[in-house]
Amino acid sequence: MEPEENIKPHAIMIPAPLQGHIVPFTHLAINLASKGLTITFVNTQSTHQRLMKAQSVSNSSLDYDIFSEARKSGLDIRYTTICDGFPLNFDRAGNHNQFMEGLLHVFSAHVDDLVGNLVNSNHNPPVSCLIADSYYVWPSEIAKKYNLVNISFWTEPALAFTSYYHMDLLRSNGHFGSQDNREDTIHYIPGVQAIEPGDLPSYIQDSEPWNIMHRYIFKSLEDAKKADMIICNTVQELESSTISALQEKKPFYAIGPIFPNGFTKTAIPTNLWIESDCIQWLNTKPKGSVMYISFGSLANISRQDVLEIAHGLLLSSVSFIWVVRPDITWSKETDLSPSRFEDDVKDRGLVVPWCSQIDVISHPAIGGFLTHCGWNSVLESIWCKVPMLCFPIFTDQFTNRKLVVSEWKVGFDLCSGRILRRQEIAQKIDCFTSEANELRINLEETRKQLEDALSENGSSGRNYKQLICDIKSKILQKSKNNNTRLL
């Protein structure tokens, strides 16, 4: 039997096919490979095609290897793609429910084939782990079938994970799963002092949580509970009591923030849209004078919301970069902003369909971020010491907003409810720019916690070491069990 220190883990990594999941998965792959693991990274063919299109790579065929640059620096990262069960030209966004049903019922058969082939093809080192997105419904079954260490990667904060983890508790207390959920403060989730029902992930808040998204997400989180270990893109010091309580139930490793080395754009394509270059425009603006506005890669808002934001910007005096994705609204309309809007703001505002967020947010001209509170955006804002104006839209964004506004005090709310009104937006933006300095004081401290965590002896540095040590011992344990079964 091989001694533990000689074991070289080989992990198959499979992110959910969403922008906000592909990015931390890619950076995690590089981090783990730089710590000696062999990685086989798997994107869906549809994701791969979009990455190539956004890069304007003429060779958009499936044999283009996105990790070829990383391998030049000696990292052992292999790359392959998998069919998600639908033809490449199938409109996944336009047929969302059908696509989710496919991920729920069909995708696992394709994963099974792929994992089976990788396990049985005499790779050196042999495949020993599966690191799958927590938003998949099949990892425990497939890991068990092929005797792999089952590692669930949760790309959101621990507070969102523990909310899902304790759904039975929420249900039995009447805060989840009925038409008239209780609305009083929740004090009984282990490790969480208090949380308002409106700060839970949106799928738990819904009064009729039975559609395909609810069924899919709840099933995936049930599966994540069966993992051998859970890794999380958060920092021990930022969510210490929540993480400690989770660690009593499961091996849970806070190894965030999971960023590219040096917080610069990597050579590995992770963007699903073509980026506009905003840097020359930003170079003409004074330090800290521009508000960056982006609602991420997935969230939809109504055309009315777009109009209210546009009018709010017209009424305010702020300079801004506003990312308006072509698919930001549910409607197919392309002309979303008020007539002459871009002419009226042309010296102080720039509207783009997509951009490199890391490049923009780290630019000295950026002084604030009007954000949907996606978790990557929150961590990047803190790293760049950019205060946030929060407008959560769905999923974990309400939970993230609680952390930003109430716990760490590095952001303000954009509006009191979920309805946007132009006068309130203008007033909040102008108030935000005059009061942002108090947020910056808190940002200094929070950013230092992120930085300290990433140092070799910081909490995330130590948790990485512990994780790799525990993976090796789990591989050893599984191979012993397997050998015992074979005798």
Side-chain angles (χ1 to χ4, degrees), residues 209-220:
W210 324 122
N211 73 19
I212 175 58
M213 277 311 291
H214 296 94
R215 285 187 290 118
Y216 181 89
I217 280 168
F218 300 157
K219 189 167 194 279
S220 66

Side-chain angles (χ1 to χ4, degrees), residues 255-454:
I255 55 170
I258 299 169
F259 287 149
N261 195 14
F263 199 76
T264 52
K265 245 169 83 174
T266 61
I268 299 150
T270 54
N271 256 322
L272 300 177
W273 283 272
I274 295 169
E275 297 169 7
S276 304
D277 184 8
C278 312
I279 301 307
Q280 282 176 305
W281 186 86
L282 279 170
N283 288 343
T284 67
K285 301 294 171 195
K287 186 173 190 281
S289 66
V290 177
M291 176 160 282
Y292 172 56
I293 306 165
S294 173
F295 302 129
S297 58
L298 194 62
N300 292 122
I301 56 177
S302 66
R303 179 158 194 260
Q304 189 56 40
D305 284 340
V306 175
L307 287 171
E308 292 302 317
I309 294 165
H311 283 293
L313 290 167
L314 285 169
L315 290 169
S316 84
S317 54
V318 76
S319 289
F320 62 88
I321 285 180
W322 185 9
V323 177
V324 182
R325 290 189 337 262
D327 63 345
I328 197 166
T329 67
W330 297 281
S331 66
K332 298 285 186 224
E333 291 171 88
T334 48
D335 191 16
L336 296 169
S337 44
S339 59
R340 301 197 62 248
F341 174 72
E342 292 196 36
D343 289 338
D344 292 341
V345 298
K346 74 168 180 280
D347 290 329
R348 67 180 177 96
L350 182 65
V351 180
V352 296
W354 195 248
C355 66
S356 164
Q357 184 157 292
I358 279 184
D359 285 355
V360 170
I361 208 170
S362 57
H363 195 283
I366 297 295
F369 184 0
L370 170 44
T371 172
H372 64 312
C373 294
W375 188 237
N376 292 329
S377 294
V378 167
L379 291 175
E380 288 163 12
S381 279
I382 293 170
W383 190 259
C384 297
K385 296 188 272 200
V386 174
M388 286 166 267
L389 196 49
C390 301
F391 178 58
I393 298 165
F394 77 140
T395 189
D396 61 317
Q397 294 157 16
F398 298 99
T399 314
N400 305 344
R401 187 262 316 265
K402 169 188 163 60
L403 293 169
V404 167
V405 176
S406 313
E407 306 283 321
W408 308 328
K409 298 183 171 42
V410 293
F412 294 142
D413 281 318
L414 175 65
C415 50
S416 39
R418 295 194 194 182
I419 294 166
L420 291 177
R421 294 194 173 85
R422 59 193 71 180
Q423 287 84 0
E424 188 181 7
I425 292 168
Q427 184 191 352
K428 275 285 170 68
I429 286 173
D430 289 339
C431 181
F432 175 81
T433 45
S434 64
E435 291 179 21
N437 278 342
E438 67 177 84
L439 299 175
R440 287 193 182 93
I441 295 164
N442 298 332
L443 274 163
E444 285 286 344
E445 190 185 324
T446 317
R447 154 69 200 248
K448 188 167 184 335
Q449 287 180 303
L450 295 197
E451 215 171 344
D452 290 349
L454 287 179

